[in-house]
Amino acid sequence: MSETDRAAAVLTVDLGAVAANWRRCAAQAPGAETGAVVKADSYGLGAAKVAPALFRAGCRTFFVATVEEGIHLRQALPEGRIFVLGGPLPGTEAEFPAHGLTPILNSPEQIALWSSFARRRGEALEAGLHLDTGMSRLGLDRPAVERLADDRSLLDGIRPVVVMSHMACADEPAREMNTAQLEAFRALAGRLALPCPLSLAASSAIFLGPDWQFGLTRPGAALYGLNPVPDQPNPMAPVIRLRGRILQVRDVDSPMTVGYGATHRITRKGRLAIVSVGYADGYFRTLSNRGHAVIEGERVPVVGRVSMDLTIFDVTGVDAARPGAMIDLIGPGHDADALAAEAGTIGYEVLTALGNRIQRHYVGEA
Ligand SMILES: *Cc1c(COP(=O)(O)O)cnc(C)c1O
């Protein structure tokens, strides 16, 4: 019996589709370099497999969130630039050159830290600069940008390789804020006038149009098959399939109840499938009495509460539902965005919540 035959849940990741989605983003922004955001273990899909596949597709610039992620990624990716979006904290500076990582500097404190580290080492060190244009998250605010523009010595020892900002509502093309952020970014980056590429677009902003694309794009979600244009059909290729194992099938009839809290009441004769996936695997508890799965093309609803290790589906009349068979929790006809809508969240959270118990299986590369 192979590992896949006995696995309680299997996540199939199509690396060919990831590469195709990267090329799709590149074709959408022909004037820009297309990077790849592989933070949070490539949104839960496995950066050690995904990032090398992207490298083979031609990607040379990668983004992670933390130094720890960067150190791990470097083991799987001997070449290519790795930006650490969170930047350095005091005491972590030496990890960057030691592992070939490039920090994004998000505050005057981080700029000062990196500048003094570079001066101590006696060499110019590369870094990206992050300007805040409306997220109030990471990045230099307008006064900090002005101070930097007026006093270049603050950048002593730093060789800027990208100036970036991040969009707040690029997935809603009608929002005025998209143009406001574009203009703010042009103004602030223009004030600095550093000799390096600019970067504003994550997945959705790539599709806002050429104005947002600049010299380097940073898609994440779109690479993993999530829809970057939620008001239109998804232009990306599907990447994942999540299947759960049916452990038991049982006949039920009124007046039985189902699961914790007895939130579902059986009203007629039927059959239930007990599936070996629960909220510990990232199958959210908010899918209780709301989610759907697919078996042999038939949509079957979640009944009762999702528990830690088990979820119950009403499979009345579905002959394929047998103990040992697999049920599609995410797959054709029911993608991660659709499951997220049922769970009251976004596809990003569905992907990054997929648990360690789920066996990852990689396909789709020669
Ligand atoms: C996560 C992130 C991205 C990628 O965003 P997607 O919407 O997944 O494409 C790009 N840039 C920054 C700064 C991020 O934090």
Side-chain angles (χ1 to χ4, degrees), residues 62 70-71 73-74 77-84 93-103 126:
F62 298 82
I71 293 171
L73 180 61
R74 185 50 88 199
L77 201 69
E79 293 173 74
R81 187 195 287 286
I82 301 176
F83 281 116
V84 176
E93 303 95 311
E95 302 287 355
F96 287 81
H99 299 278
L101 308 176
T102 309
E126 296 185 338

Side-chain angles (χ1 to χ4, degrees), residues 61 162 351 356:
T61 300
V162 71
L351 297 192
N356 292 330

Side-chain angles (χ1 to χ4, degrees), residues 140-211:
L140 303 171
D141 60 15
R142 177 179 294 275
V145 173
E146 295 292 344
R147 283 197 299 278
L148 210 54
D150 292 341
D151 182 1
R152 299 287 162 156
S153 75
L154 294 169
L155 288 175
D156 277 355
I158 299 176
R159 184 183 304 137
V161 288
V162 71
V163 171
M164 61 168 275
S165 189
H166 194 51
M167 300 286 293
C169 18
D171 58 336
E172 300 172 72
R175 295 283 292 267
E176 279 170 27
M177 187 158 181
N178 293 325
T179 319
Q181 280 195 270
L182 175 62
E183 280 164 11
F185 184 55
R186 280 190 179 135
L188 291 178
R191 190 79 176 76
L192 290 177
L194 294 168
C196 64
L198 305 182
S199 177
L200 180 59
S203 297
S204 291
I206 292 172
F207 291 84
L208 285 178
D211 282 353

Side-chain angles (χ1 to χ4, degrees), residues 349-360:
E349 197 181 16
V350 168
L351 297 192
T352 55
L354 295 172
N356 292 330
R357 262 193 325 208
I358 300 170
Q359 192 180 105
R360 269 102 173 135

